[in-house]
């Protein structure tokens, strides 16, 4: 990146807030408090106060070096790296965040493609380079599940051993750090170095006008009272089905439904707090397969009945589902927050609210907003972990202080969230984000995301015979759990031996 003199982040925020019309109306004070109390690191003042968090790094240094990030797919690069300031608001914030780290620590940050043809080839290339003891890069960006596979063979450094990474800071999502930690080790973590995590957090969008037309109330109060449950939501919508102009018997994309659901049901079980693998305090069995959790049966029964046996639900591929909601043909749709910016903004007259994915039942007790991400990993062959940790921490902190306010507060909330209560809901979604260990270390096996497998529209016909499915996947699941346990034990032993030497 070419270093330019740039405005400080506070000036950038002030100019964005005050001058970007019609992005927002003049310098409004965002003082709302999210559901459940103050946000992490926040205060009772402006919503931007929460981003004014100092890191624990030296004030400055002059490494006079290049810090290189290896990536696979150029599509997601602007989420963490922009080479030139093109004038775009979000890209400009990413550019400034990078420049802040460059100037503070005397480095040049570069992002280079691996040239691999797909994610697996990308991982294999990384593995080969690390095993050879030499890499031309400092950190690599990897697929969530493929990154987990990479961590099991000793290719990655335990992030707990990388100096200057401070996981108590708000730019490291606490739920995810806890979830991906196992046996005192952490090889994967997402951070504010990229805004992809926030972008992919699961949410429920609803059409305000259609809700009112059917005499239904927005679910805001249910969420605030911790009474927003899947069964209640689906029951409310089960009879809402209006045939379209063609009058097709059955279900059609011309109809209007209570809820349209993208067929993959991606990451739903994480949002219901269903852990297919549970961590234990038992040294002999630190991971326990939990695939026969009764709550999984409950979730499958509720969703199957609502989407396939009742008139008000429609299970359909993602593109079609999004288009139907955008055109006013559904009261509810579950998609990630990113759709507010990338899709729903393009439908004229669409007025929507946003709430978190409902809890499955009272037992759950709290909301979970599942998300996916791409990790930045450190090779086990890293020759200077202190340098790498310093730059990673700085980039994560600057992403939190500079990029997140622009992307999350200004673009997502002020521009594309339609009412103040929805803004509170978006805050709650962000606070409850989680990447689940079962999903990440499930090796892309269907047992690790059973709801996906049971309802996958594009391969087998959806069904709710989970008992048969569970019996089929059990041997593979047991083998995988043992593989993960053995790998972590082996890595821990090697680390303890290295420390002793």
């Amino acid at each position: 990146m070419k270093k330019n003199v740039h405005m400080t982040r506070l000036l950038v925020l002030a100019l964005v807030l005050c001058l970007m019309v019609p992005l927002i109306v003049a310098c409004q004070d965002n003082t709302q408090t999210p559901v459940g109390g103050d946000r992490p690191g926040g205060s009772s003042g402006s919503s931007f106060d929460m981003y004014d968090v100092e890191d624990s790094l030296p004030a400055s240094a002059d490494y006079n070096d290049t810090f290189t990030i290896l990536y696979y797919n150029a599509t997601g690069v602007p989420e963490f790296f922009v080479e030139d300031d093109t004038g775009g608001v979000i890209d400009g914030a990413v550019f400034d965040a990078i420049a802040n780290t460059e100037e503070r620590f005397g480095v040049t940050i570069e992002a280079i493609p691996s040239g691999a043809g797909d994610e697996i080839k990308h991982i294999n290339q990384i593995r080969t380079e690390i095993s050879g003891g030499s890499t031309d890069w400092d950190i690599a960006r990897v697929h969530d599940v493929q990154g987990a596979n990479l961590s099991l063979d000793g290719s990655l450094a335990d992030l707990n051993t990388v100096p200057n990474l401070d996981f108590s800071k708000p730019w490291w999502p606490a739920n995810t750090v806890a979830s991906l930690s196992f046996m005192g080790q952490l090889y994967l973590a997402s951070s504010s170095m990229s805004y992809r995590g926030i972008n992919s957090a699961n949410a429920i969008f609803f059409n305000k006008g259609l809700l009112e037309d059917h005499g239904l109330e927005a679910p805001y109060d249910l969420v605030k009272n911790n009474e927003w449950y899947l069964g209640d939501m689906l029951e409310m919508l089960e009879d809402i089905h209006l045939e379209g102009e063609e009058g097709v018997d059955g279900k059609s994309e011309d109809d209007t439904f209570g809820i349209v659901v993208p067929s993959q049901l991606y990451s739903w079980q994480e949002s219901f707090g269903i852990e297919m693998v549970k961590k234990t305090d038992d040294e002999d069995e630190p991971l326990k397969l939990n695939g026969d959790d009764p709550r999984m049966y409950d979730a499958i029964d509720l969703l199957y009945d609502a989407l396939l046996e009742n008139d008000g639900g429609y299970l359909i591929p993602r593109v079609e589902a999004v288009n139907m909601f955008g055109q006013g043909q559904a009261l509810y749709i579950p998609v990630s927050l990113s759709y507010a910016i990338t899709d729903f903004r393009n439908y004229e007259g669409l007025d929507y609210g946003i709430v978190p994915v409902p809890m499955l039942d009272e037992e759950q007790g709290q909301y979970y907003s599942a998300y996916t991400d791409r990790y930045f990993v450190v090779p086990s062959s890293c020759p200077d972990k202190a340098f790498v940790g310093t730059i990673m921490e700085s980039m994560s902190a600057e992403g939190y202080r500079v990029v997140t306010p622009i992307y999350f507060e200004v673009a997502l909330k002020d521009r594309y969230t339609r009412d103040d209560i929805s803004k509170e809901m978006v805050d709650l979604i962000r606070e409850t984000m989680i990447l689940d260990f079962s999903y990440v270390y499930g090796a892309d096996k269907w047992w690790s995301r059973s709801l996906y497998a049971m309802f996958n529209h594009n391969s087998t016909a959806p069904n709710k015979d989970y008992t048969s499915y569970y019996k089929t996947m059990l041997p593979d699941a047991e083998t995988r759990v043992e593989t993960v346990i053995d790998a972590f034990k082996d890595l821990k032993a090697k680390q303890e031996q290295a420390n002793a030497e």
Side-chain angles (χ1 to χ4, degrees), residues 281-493:
D281 296 326
D282 187 341
E283 292 185 4
D284 296 325
E285 191 180 21
L287 284 181
K288 185 176 181 180
L289 189 62
N290 188 46
D292 60 346
D293 189 333
R295 299 179 72 248
M296 178 62 81
Y297 291 87
D298 293 341
I300 290 171
D301 284 345
L302 284 169
L303 290 166
Y304 189 91
D305 290 347
L307 302 178
L308 296 164
E309 294 185 346
N310 290 306
D311 290 337
Y314 196 22
L315 191 67
I316 189 172
R318 183 172 297 273
V319 172
E320 289 85 344
V322 169
N323 188 53
M324 289 181 67
F325 181 81
Q327 295 181 147
Q329 292 174 254
L331 278 71
Y332 281 81
I333 185 173
V335 287
S336 67
L337 287 176
S338 65
Y339 281 82
I341 296 177
T342 60
D343 287 80
F344 297 148
R345 61 182 287 186
N346 299 318
Y347 291 92
E348 186 176 353
L350 176 63
D351 188 14
Y352 55 79
I354 306 173
V355 289
V357 174
M359 293 180 286
L360 177 59
D361 49 32
E362 292 184 23
E363 178 184 338
Q364 183 169 331
Q366 69 177 81
Y367 302 104
Y368 295 107
S369 299
Y371 73 105
T372 60
D373 207 348
R374 294 291 184 267
Y375 311 115
F376 296 96
V377 296
V378 179
S380 56
S381 58
C382 176
D384 191 347
K385 290 182 181 178
F387 168 67
V388 169
T390 296
I391 305 305
M392 283 183 69
E393 182 74 4
S394 178
M395 291 179 67
S396 299
E398 292 296 342
Y400 179 82
R401 292 187 288 241
V402 178
V403 181
T404 305
I406 299 299
Y407 179 81
F408 184 74
E409 301 288 347
V410 176
L412 180 59
K413 287 173 61 179
D414 285 329
R415 177 75 188 264
Y416 297 115
T417 302
R418 309 298 197 206
D419 60 77
D420 287 341
I421 304 181
S422 281
K423 292 176 183 179
E424 295 182 31
M425 300 290 122
V426 171
D427 280 326
L428 176 61
I429 290 168
R430 179 182 170 193
E431 290 171 13
T432 56
M433 287 170 53
I434 188 168
L435 260 168
D436 182 59
F437 186 92
S438 302
Y439 163 75
V440 172
Y441 279 93
D444 260 342
K445 301 289 186 179
W446 294 125
W447 63 264
S448 67
R449 48 179 101 165
S450 293
L451 279 175
Y452 182 110
M454 296 297 291
F455 289 91
N456 189 358
H457 183 277
N458 298 314
S459 59
T460 59
N463 69 85
K464 60 178 180 179
D465 184 9
Y466 183 67
T467 299
S468 296
Y469 172 78
Y470 176 68
K471 290 180 179 179
T472 300
M473 65 85 171
L474 186 57
D476 179 69
E478 291 175 334
T479 299
R480 178 63 179 183
V481 169
E482 288 301 316
T483 297
V484 173
I485 292 174
D486 290 344
F488 270 83
K489 284 183 176 180
D490 184 53
L491 291 168
K492 183 178 181 179

Side-chain angles (χ1 to χ4, degrees), residues 106-120:
V107 297
T108 298
I109 297 173
E110 295 181 347
I112 60 172
S114 67
D118 56 44
E119 295 275 17
I120 294 178

Side-chain angles (χ1 to χ4, degrees), residues 131-203:
S131 64
S134 177
T135 62
D136 295 328
W137 42 271
D138 294 288
I139 62 174
R141 195 180 196 222
V142 298
H143 182 272
D144 44 16
V145 174
Q146 295 304 324
N149 290 334
L150 187 65
S151 74
L152 296 179
D153 62 17
S155 295
L156 303 182
D158 178 359
L159 297 178
N160 291 319
T161 69
V162 177
N164 303 317
L165 297 183
D166 187 349
F167 296 114
S168 70
K169 297 297 185 180
W171 38 87
W172 300 98
N175 287 341
T176 296
V177 170
S179 179
L180 298 186
S181 295
F182 181 52
M183 296 179 63
Q185 301 164 73
L186 177 66
Y187 297 96
L188 310 166
S190 66
S191 78
S192 299
M193 189 186 304
S194 166
Y195 62 79
R196 187 184 193 280
I198 293 176
N199 204 35
S200 68
N202 281 358

